[in-house]
Amino acid sequence: MVAPVTGGQCGTPGAQDMTTDQALSHRQIAELTLAYCRGVDRADEALLKSIFHDDSIVICGAFEGNGQQFASEICTIVRAVFDQTLHSIDHQSIEVTGDTAMGETYVVAVSTMTDLDRGKSEMLTGGRYLDRFTRRDGIWKFAARTFVSEWSRIDGTSCTDDAPSATQGLGSHPAARWH
């Protein structure tokens, strides 16, 4: 028998013991949220589709619909509108109960765009993802994802053009060896 892992929410007093399954599930779900960021930032439609259940629901900005459709549409938008995007997640809370989990994850996203006059602008957005995850056939995926925007701003910027684009990847950049 494996002893339970203690400290449900960062060892807070009164937190119930976390079983090995709950700890593993928590880690797998956290990996899903990271995969989402990577999928959007790289406009990787296949990756995004792989993390949403076929009957999932996404509410994000003007989009409200199926997760599979969202994966296609967000990648089209990223390729058409943004030169670069970067999603950074923080302050994550995940509660696992059997084959269902609820999560709240804070996010800050920065996106660089080229305006019609060829000037660059940067959009900075902060908010939270409210998620429901389900495990089917042993695999955790998003069942529902809602983005709640807390704030947003757009500024002119002096970005250089030497950084790789969202879909370009790192190519021969030295950091590519880590991927």
Side-chain angles (χ1 to χ4, degrees):
M1 181 170 177
V2 177
V5 177
T6 58
Q9 293 250 298
C10 299
T12 54
Q16 295 185 1
D17 289 345
M18 187 182 290
T19 67
T20 301
D21 179 63
Q22 286 173 319
L24 289 172
S25 295
H26 189 280
R27 182 64 190 160
Q28 291 167 351
I29 290 165
E31 289 292 328
L32 281 176
T33 62
L34 292 171
Y36 173 87
C37 293
R38 182 172 180 81
V40 172
D41 291 342
R42 299 290 175 230
D44 187 337
E45 187 174 338
L47 173 59
L48 287 172
K49 285 185 174 186
S50 76
I51 62 174
F52 285 99
H53 284 298
D54 289 339
D55 59 348
S56 60
I57 297 169
V58 175
I59 300 171
C60 183
F63 182 89
E64 185 170 342
N66 179 276
Q68 299 295 311
Q69 182 184 2
F70 172 79
S72 297
E73 290 192 25
I74 194 67
C75 288
T76 298
I77 291 167
V78 168
R79 283 188 216 96
V81 176
F82 300 111
D83 299 326
Q84 300 167 327
T85 65
L86 178 100
H87 288 71
S88 180
I89 57 176
D90 199 4
H91 306 299
Q92 187 170 55
S93 173
I94 300 169
E95 295 180 24
V96 178
T97 307
D99 289 333
T100 303
M102 302 299 287
E104 178 181 49
T105 304
Y106 284 71
V107 62
V108 174
V110 61
S111 304
T112 305
M113 305 167 274
T114 302
D115 299 329
L116 294 175
D117 63 359
R118 303 303 301 158
K120 298 268 187 190
S121 60
E122 204 167 71
M123 180 170 57
L124 190 61
T125 304
R128 297 174 289 130
Y129 294 117
L130 304 177
D131 299 314
R132 184 169 47 86
F133 306 92
T134 56
R135 178 170 48 188
R136 300 178 190 167
D137 298 322
I139 299 171
W140 285 101
K141 292 187 180 186
F142 287 96
R145 170 158 265 207
T146 299
F147 174 67
V148 178
S149 179
E150 300 287 351
W151 55 269
S152 186
R153 72 179 208 204
I154 297 177
D155 295 317
T157 183
S158 59
C159 291
T160 62
D161 289 328
D162 60 354
S165 71
T167 56
Q168 180 183 8
L170 296 175
S172 61
H173 189 278
R177 64 188 159 144
W178 298 105
H179 295 280

